[in-house]
Amino acid sequence: MPTLEIDHLDKAYGPVHALRDMTFDVHSGEIFGFVGSNGAGKTTTMRIALGVLAPDSGQVRWDGSPVDLETRRRIGYMPEERGLYPRMRVDQQLVYLARLHGKAPAEAKDAMERWTELLGVAHRRTDEVQKLSLGNQQRVQLAAALVHDPEILVLDEPFSGLDPVAVDVMSGVLRERAAAGVPVLFSSHQLDLVERLCDRVGIIKDGRMVAEGAIDELRTAARPQWFVDGAAASAWAPSLASGSGLRIVSSDGHRTVVELDTASAAHPLTPDDAAQAVLQAALAAGAVRSFTPVRHSLVELYRDVVSAPTEEPAA
């Protein structure tokens, strides 16, 4: 199965390190969400993958071979800054871009008609791009990335400025492309959307990949928490073993959240043993009406990851 590999990329601009050992991959048929704060290195990584920038070290590969000019012709790229000609008609522009990628005139016209129809801008084909709303310009920009039927999609903030209907349309297109076997890499600050849409997520900070995996995998790697609805925490929390890593993070009457922090524990419990210890302690103090693990959202996982101290590599 062909895979887009980002392999140990480093990039510096003088004293500023934009990327530090950036490594991850995107498999065929997979939607990979790339998240991080402004300046974290998302756009730099994408531009290196496209050949717009050259890395100081590292390599980008597709299907095991270094990405070259021929491979780049098969990539659909959507930049964060719109790269369309504002005074050119939508239909003429999309046909022109498809022709640049090697499509015959009739194929280019068919592709333009298909994608403008799917993306809901068919009625604006004869308009200049500058006369469109920002949301419709974004739809045309995605059509420009798709019009040559690319084997790989790299999209930088594709949902920026879109209304909810347009978000649904674009999400459907990305799912359809992934179902057709295309690897999709996109960045976004809309973490709830990333959580719903992506198969895997990579969180970057200061040019480094600091967390990567499916949402459930990231939840497992985070500090596990449990919600207890039963006796007041004061009645049973003191019985939790000292040094086990278990601590009360919130308590409101009979509703309590307990967390396992293994990093600060002298004798940390495993998550399974910790769950049993919390439940048994709460039951010993009275009836337990509810006991459930807390499912962290991507927003919570992101905050936890980016707020953690960054370990500097050894000199």
Side-chain angles (χ1 to χ4, degrees):
M1 179 180 295
T3 299
L4 178 66
E5 300 173 76
I6 309 297
D7 187 15
H8 298 287
L9 297 184
D10 283 279
K11 181 68 177 178
Y13 300 95
V16 178
H17 287 268
L19 296 180
R20 303 168 186 258
D21 198 35
M22 178 62 65
T23 301
F24 64 96
D25 51 38
V26 187
H27 306 293
S28 292
E30 179 179 54
I31 302 178
F32 187 97
F34 204 33
V35 301
S37 59
N38 292 328
K42 303 185 299 297
T43 296
T44 298
T45 302
M46 291 182 172
R47 287 177 176 171
I48 290 174
L50 267 292
V52 177
L53 293 175
D56 296 334
S57 62
Q59 192 176 64
V60 180
R61 293 186 295 274
W62 169 241
D63 197 15
S65 300
V67 170
D68 55 14
L69 179 60
E70 181 57 34
T71 306
R72 293 186 191 109
R73 293 169 66 89
R74 305 198 300 272
I75 298 176
Y77 176 50
M78 183 175 176
E80 183 176 7
E81 307 84 7
R82 292 179 180 85
L84 302 171
Y85 298 107
R87 297 180 183 275
M88 195 171 181
R89 282 174 33 167
V90 170
D91 55 354
Q92 294 172 344
Q93 184 154 189
L94 293 178
V95 168
Y96 169 70
L97 293 172
R99 296 278 288 122
L100 281 181
H101 281 86
K103 281 193 173 293
E107 290 179 318
K109 183 175 181 294
D110 288 345
M112 177 275 294
E113 291 176 347
R114 181 172 76 255
W115 285 113
T116 52
E117 187 71 39
L118 284 171
L119 291 168
V121 287
H123 63 296
R124 307 302 298 270
R125 287 172 185 160
T126 59
D127 291 342
E128 294 179 356
V129 170
Q130 65 183 355
K131 295 181 180 178
L132 304 182
S133 67
L134 293 179
N136 279 338
Q137 288 184 31
Q138 193 80 332
R139 295 184 193 214
V140 175
Q141 186 77 70
L142 180 59
L146 292 164
V147 74
H148 58 291
D149 297 324
E151 295 180 8
I152 308 163
L153 274 178
V154 178
L155 313 173
D156 200 353
E157 294 290 343
F159 297 95
S160 177
L162 295 183
D163 61 69
V165 173
V167 167
D168 289 342
V169 170
M170 194 168 289
S171 298
V173 168
L174 298 189
R175 289 191 182 100
E176 185 273 331
R177 289 289 79 205
V182 174
V184 179
L185 167 64
F186 80 90
S187 68
S188 179
H189 287 103
Q190 296 165 261
L191 300 186
D192 57 336
L193 176 62
V194 172
E195 184 170 0
R196 294 198 311 270
L197 188 59
C198 294
D199 300 297
R200 287 190 301 130
V201 175
I203 302 175
I204 70 170
K205 176 185 177 183
D206 299 330
R208 295 186 179 93
M209 182 69 75
V210 291
E212 186 226 325
I215 298 296
D216 285 343
E217 292 173 345
L218 297 178
R219 288 190 180 110
T220 301
R223 296 175 182 174
Q225 294 180 341
W226 298 271
F227 168 77
V228 183
D229 183 2
S234 58
W236 54 268
S239 66
L240 296 175
S242 177
S244 64
L246 290 169
R247 64 190 186 94
I248 305 298
V249 294
S250 68
S251 183
D252 180 12
H254 298 280
R255 301 162 66 88
T256 304
V257 175
V258 186
E259 179 179 86
L260 176 63
D261 180 7
T262 58
S264 62
H267 307 287
L269 296 174
T270 66
D272 287 344
D273 288 344
Q276 291 301 314
V278 172
L279 179 58
Q280 291 171 13
L283 285 170
V288 173
R289 290 173 289 276
S290 178
F291 178 77
T292 58
V294 176
R295 289 179 60 83
H296 298 280
S297 69
L298 180 57
V299 173
E300 293 168 321
L301 295 171
Y302 175 82
R303 287 173 179 158
D304 189 51
V305 168
V306 300
S307 64
T310 300
E311 294 184 6
E312 291 294 331

